[in-house]
Amino acid sequence: CDEAKPTCQRCTTAGRPCSYTAIPKGKASSTLRMVVYRAPGSRSSFLTSEEERQSFDFFLHQTRYRFPAGFSDSVLQAAHSEEALARAIISFGALQQVYEYNDDPFLVSPLGQLAMQEYGRALRYVRIRLGNGGRDLGLVCCLLFACFECMRGCPRAAVVHIKSGLDILGRCVEELAWNVVSRETMVSLFTRLDNQLLGLLGTSLPRTLNRDGEQGSSILARIDIGSNGGNVERSLDGVLNSIFHDRLNMALIMENPSTFVLPLDQGRTLRYLKEWYERFVKAMPSPGLSGQPETSYIHDEDPNLMRIWYIIGKMYVAVPPDGPECVWDQFRAEFKTIISLAEDYLLRMRKSSQKRTFSFDLGIVSPLYIVGVRCRHINTRRRAIWLLETCERREILWDSTITGMTARRVMEFEESSGIGAELLGQRVRTVTAVLDDDKGVSVELE
């Protein structure tokens, strides 16, 4: 303590009262005086065992930084009064330890069993709260449950949770109390989840959900960001969401010309993308690469990831779904830039003790997959596939191992000399994925 008067610097910084006994003038003291205080408890009162406390602490000290601060801090605070959130946090912390640091794919270890047990309890508490009108709590849990299912390798179950959250936003966005996490934060997060559904599944989403009779446009309606959603709409996630929905609409028209979709406004989308990039350049004047740890804040993403996705956005705007495959050949320089940025990002984020990584970031798996499938430059394509096969990452729905296998299969098909003279030199136009947690991921090439 610096013993400054009337309040010391430490108490001023911490925002707490400062009191001490004044020493009469002329009277020296050789006694060391310390200001001791106790910080507010950071653990939930629902924790009853040391295993639960350890998993909660793992979320508190590590997992929370995989999400935006506005989400993690609010969820941790609400976990003191909402047992559903406390159980969800325990299950998430336990599973992340298993996934990233252990080898227990079937969750038979004590930690894996704890994760599943707490996950089941969280589901039960959420159902009870939903019966009492806790839809904003349900929305938060949809996000946590979706990430949990992705991390344990059940992407279809994750899609169901994501779709449930999107349905809540679509039906009740104006009615929610937003008592747990702010509206803007939740809309931003679900915009990213919506982008994942659009980018990975697109028109095949009805098949994954076993709703073959419905069109993708009815299942994946655009998120209602509300009258005050300008910041979300103009964010990188928001601009990408517009691009993905425009491409989905064009793909639906290609499949069924009689399909009714909203008219496209590509001029506005491109303008928003350029405006975002101008703001990004002003905020990041130095072209140097960031050395910050992986914090994954929506408005403070790693600069490499934002550059990568800006390139992806530009390419998607330039290449319509019905365009010839050779159009992608003009982006050789962009593909190489994506590879370089991804390699640098992986080098900075790698931890020696970590076997795998789960991330809620914009991510590199999807961009590397695009390079592996669309790039015809041999060396660049192989570098992208090698990175996918070795980086061991799950970025929400995007799994690096599965995407690496898919990209390699596409490459082998296009480069093989034994596929028949009638197919030699042909390019794969579309890759369709259908998720099934029992049968695995089905990938169809056209």
Side-chain angles (χ1 to χ4, degrees):
C1 178
D2 62 0
E3 298 187 1
K5 300 176 182 180
T7 58
C8 69
Q9 185 62 37
R10 287 190 176 182
C11 290
T12 301
T13 303
R16 60 177 179 267
C18 179
S19 61
Y20 54 88
T21 303
I23 301 176
K25 291 184 179 181
K27 184 177 181 181
S29 173
S30 60
T31 304
L32 176 64
R33 292 178 291 113
M34 302 176 64
V35 177
V36 181
Y37 74 99
R38 183 176 181 179
S42 58
R43 288 177 173 174
S44 171
S45 58
F46 298 110
L47 308 183
T48 58
S49 69
E50 186 58 34
E51 291 77 11
E52 293 177 3
R53 296 186 187 95
Q54 192 270 337
S55 294
F56 190 96
D57 285 348
F58 187 90
F59 187 102
L60 177 66
H61 297 296
Q62 292 200 38
T63 307
R64 67 185 299 183
Y65 299 112
R66 308 296 175 91
F67 297 97
F71 177 80
S72 296
D73 294 350
S74 299
V75 167
L76 285 165
Q77 183 177 1
H80 289 274
S81 57
E82 294 286 357
E83 187 161 4
L85 286 178
R87 298 302 167 190
I89 288 173
I90 296 169
S91 65
F92 203 115
L95 182 63
Q96 188 178 353
Q97 293 176 78
V98 172
Y99 175 72
E100 294 192 343
Y101 295 96
N102 300 313
D103 293 306
D104 182 22
F106 300 106
L107 302 180
V108 297
S109 65
L111 199 56
Q113 292 179 0
L114 174 67
M116 293 306 300
Q117 173 186 325
E118 293 299 309
Y119 179 51
R121 297 177 71 180
L123 286 169
R124 289 194 296 272
Y125 281 113
V126 168
R127 293 191 186 101
I128 294 173
R129 288 289 282 111
L130 285 174
N132 298 325
R135 286 179 295 191
D136 53 341
L137 173 67
L139 187 64
V140 172
C141 287
C142 280
L143 187 148
L144 291 173
F145 293 162
C147 292
F148 182 95
E149 293 289 4
C150 288
M151 197 158 31
R152 79 180 185 109
C154 297
R156 184 187 178 279
V159 170
V160 172
H161 285 304
I162 294 172
K163 186 63 178 63
S164 297
L166 291 171
D167 288 343
I168 292 175
L169 281 177
R171 296 194 309 264
C172 316
V173 66
E174 299 297 341
E175 303 172 11
L176 296 177
W178 306 106
N179 291 326
V180 181
V181 181
S182 72
R183 172 175 176 163
E184 182 174 354
T185 297
M186 290 307 299
V187 171
S188 294
L189 294 174
F190 271 93
T191 298
R192 178 164 297 179
L193 293 176
D194 191 39
N195 290 345
Q196 290 250 329
L197 292 183
L198 292 162
L200 181 64
L201 299 176
T203 58
S204 71
L205 178 62
R207 295 169 60 189
T208 291
L209 294 175
N210 296 325
R211 292 157 63 175
D212 293 345
E214 298 185 52
Q215 293 181 343
S217 57
S218 62
I219 294 181
L220 271 177
R222 294 177 188 253
I223 294 178
D224 181 9
I225 61 176
S227 57
N228 298 321
N231 291 336
V232 176
E233 186 179 20
R234 287 171 171 79
S235 68
L236 182 56
D237 280 300
V239 176
L240 291 171
N241 192 252
S242 295
I243 294 172
F244 280 129
H245 271 285
D246 289 346
R247 292 181 66 83
L248 173 65
N249 289 342
M250 287 187 282
L252 291 171
I253 293 174
M254 290 167 54
E255 289 184 357
N256 184 3
S258 63
T259 301
F260 172 77
V261 296
L262 294 174
L264 306 181
D265 189 354
Q266 288 186 309
R268 186 189 67 170
T269 301
L270 185 59
R271 184 176 74 254
Y272 282 172
L273 186 62
K274 291 180 178 178
E275 290 174 355
W276 174 86
Y277 187 68
E278 290 174 357
R279 295 195 302 271
F280 170 73
V281 171
K282 290 180 180 178
M284 303 293 298
S286 172
L289 301 176
S290 170
Q292 296 178 348
E294 185 175 14
T295 55
S296 183
Y297 290 175
I298 287 291
H299 301 292
D300 190 23
E301 283 278 1
D302 186 278
N304 277 22
L305 298 183
M306 291 190 285
R307 291 187 180 99
I308 287 173
W309 278 97
Y310 172 69
I311 295 172
I312 296 294
K314 285 201 307 179
M315 291 193 297
Y316 271 156
V317 170
V319 180
D322 57 349
E325 286 301 297
C326 61
V327 175
W328 291 97
D329 296 342
Q330 65 181 301
F331 298 116
R332 178 180 293 187
E334 285 82 355
F335 289 143
K336 289 184 177 179
T337 300
I338 290 173
I339 295 293
S340 298
L341 292 170
E343 286 178 331
D344 179 84
Y345 174 80
L346 288 173
L347 183 63
R348 288 184 288 107
M349 296 302 152
R350 185 172 293 122
K351 299 178 181 178
S352 59
S353 61
Q354 195 169 322
K355 298 182 178 181
R356 290 164 288 273
T357 300
F358 175 81
S359 175
F360 199 87
D361 279 335
L362 282 166
I364 59 163
V365 174
S366 177
L368 289 175
Y369 169 75
I370 293 172
V371 177
V373 171
R374 301 301 181 191
C375 178
R376 268 69 188 184
H377 186 266
I378 294 177
N379 292 337
T380 303
R381 186 179 217 177
R382 280 165 169 73
R383 283 173 66 195
I385 295 174
W386 181 83
L387 287 173
L388 286 171
E389 293 174 337
T390 58
C391 69
E392 293 283 355
R393 293 178 67 87
R394 281 182 183 162
E395 297 168 348
I396 315 177
L397 291 171
W398 285 94
D399 183 289
S400 62
T401 301
I402 295 175
T403 53
M405 292 171 58
T406 303
R408 181 168 292 280
R409 184 69 187 94
V410 171
M411 179 186 68
E412 291 172 348
F413 177 84
E414 293 184 342
E415 297 180 0
S416 174
S417 60
I419 59 177
E422 71 280 2
L423 294 178
L424 189 60
Q426 293 291 315
R427 290 184 169 184
V428 174
R429 181 175 182 82
T430 60
V431 182
T432 303
V434 179
L435 308 181
D436 189 305
D437 292 341
D438 296 323
K439 300 178 182 179
V441 179
S442 171
V443 179
E444 303 168 1
L445 309 182
E446 178 184 346

